[in-house]
Amino acid sequence: MTAEPATRLVEKLGVHLDPELLVLALTHRSFAHEAGGVPTNERLEFLGDTVLGLVVTEALYRRHPDLSEGDLAKMRAATVSQRSLAAIARELELGGYLLLGKGELATGGREKDSILSDTLEALFGAVYLTHGLEVARGVVERLVDATLEVAADLGAGLDWKTSLQEIAARLDLGVPEYLCDSEGPDHARRFTARILLDGEVRGTGTGTAKKLAEQEAAADAYRSLQALVAPADDA
């Protein structure tokens, strides 16, 4: 990582970071292993995850005084999900700054949701260590604000799995059973999920990770069951 791209990333974050701490935040364990066991960003990620959770929880609490604890929890989960954080990381073009080992580079590590989201959390941790909670809050809120706004309008989409379980119970269909298969090489694996309810396939989904495929399948199943609920409600 040269000084120029490091400067660009700091400008995007909007706060100064000590160069050594910035490098640490960008150091994936694969790079650390190949470099002879230098420190990784995992401790910073652990700290940043807590900072992120606190800031998002407080923001939701203040913005939505009429929502229940359950609704707030769903909105928080949607906001801090791996997919949401990876999307923010891509807006920062974070993949270009990552310090990855040769193996991760060869398997598309710069575009992996898990690595991007973890690194973003590590950066939040670095901002907190450097500037404290108030500055960290400002950085987190600025970067996740759009996601917070979208979460307010997602409804059942905040957590498709929970929403599916709730509507399945309402229709007395039992607990959803997830079946997942995968194909392709490790660096380009695709997952396909099916959902069984009362012995019948009610939804399918695909994705680059098992969780993503299951969420898509849950969304598909929820919509199919919602079509059954609507006529009953009109009767």
Side-chain angles (χ1 to χ4, degrees), residues 78-141:
T79 303
V80 304
S81 71
Q82 185 180 102
R83 173 181 284 184
S84 295
L85 295 180
I88 295 170
R90 290 189 177 94
E91 291 178 5
L92 294 172
E93 298 179 308
L94 190 54
Y97 306 103
L98 299 175
L99 296 177
L100 299 173
K102 294 178 181 178
E104 280 294 350
L105 287 172
T107 57
R110 294 194 186 279
E111 284 300 316
K112 289 183 180 179
D113 282 2
S114 58
I115 293 177
L116 288 171
S117 61
D118 288 349
T119 306
L120 182 63
E121 289 178 336
L123 286 172
F124 290 154
V127 172
Y128 172 80
L129 283 181
T130 303
H131 298 284
L133 182 57
E134 291 309 309
V135 173
R137 176 185 284 110
V139 172
V140 171
E141 287 187 340

Side-chain angles (χ1 to χ4, degrees), residues 87-199:
I88 295 170
R90 290 189 177 94
E91 291 178 5
L92 294 172
E93 298 179 308
L94 190 54
Y97 306 103
L98 299 175
L99 296 177
L100 299 173
K102 294 178 181 178
E104 280 294 350
L105 287 172
T107 57
R110 294 194 186 279
E111 284 300 316
K112 289 183 180 179
D113 282 2
S114 58
I115 293 177
L116 288 171
S117 61
D118 288 349
T119 306
L120 182 63
E121 289 178 336
L123 286 172
F124 290 154
V127 172
Y128 172 80
L129 283 181
T130 303
H131 298 284
L133 182 57
E134 291 309 309
V135 173
R137 176 185 284 110
V139 172
V140 171
E141 287 187 340
R142 176 168 55 82
L143 292 178
V144 306
D145 186 68
T147 308
L148 282 170
E149 292 299 318
V150 171
D153 299 321
L154 282 177
L158 286 168
D159 184 347
W160 286 117
K161 284 189 171 183
T162 299
S163 297
L164 174 61
Q165 189 166 332
E166 290 171 352
I167 196 172
R170 182 178 175 185
L171 293 171
D172 198 25
L173 294 175
V175 177
E177 179 183 356
Y178 291 81
L179 305 176
C180 198
D181 301 310
S182 65
E183 60 181 3
D186 288 342
H187 68 279
R189 190 169 294 279
R190 295 289 297 179
F191 294 83
T192 300
R194 293 175 295 139
I195 293 179
L196 292 180
L197 277 167
D198 198 25

Side-chain angles (χ1 to χ4, degrees), residues 29-39:
R29 63 177 176 271
S30 61
F31 180 90
H33 176 73
E34 293 182 10
V38 300

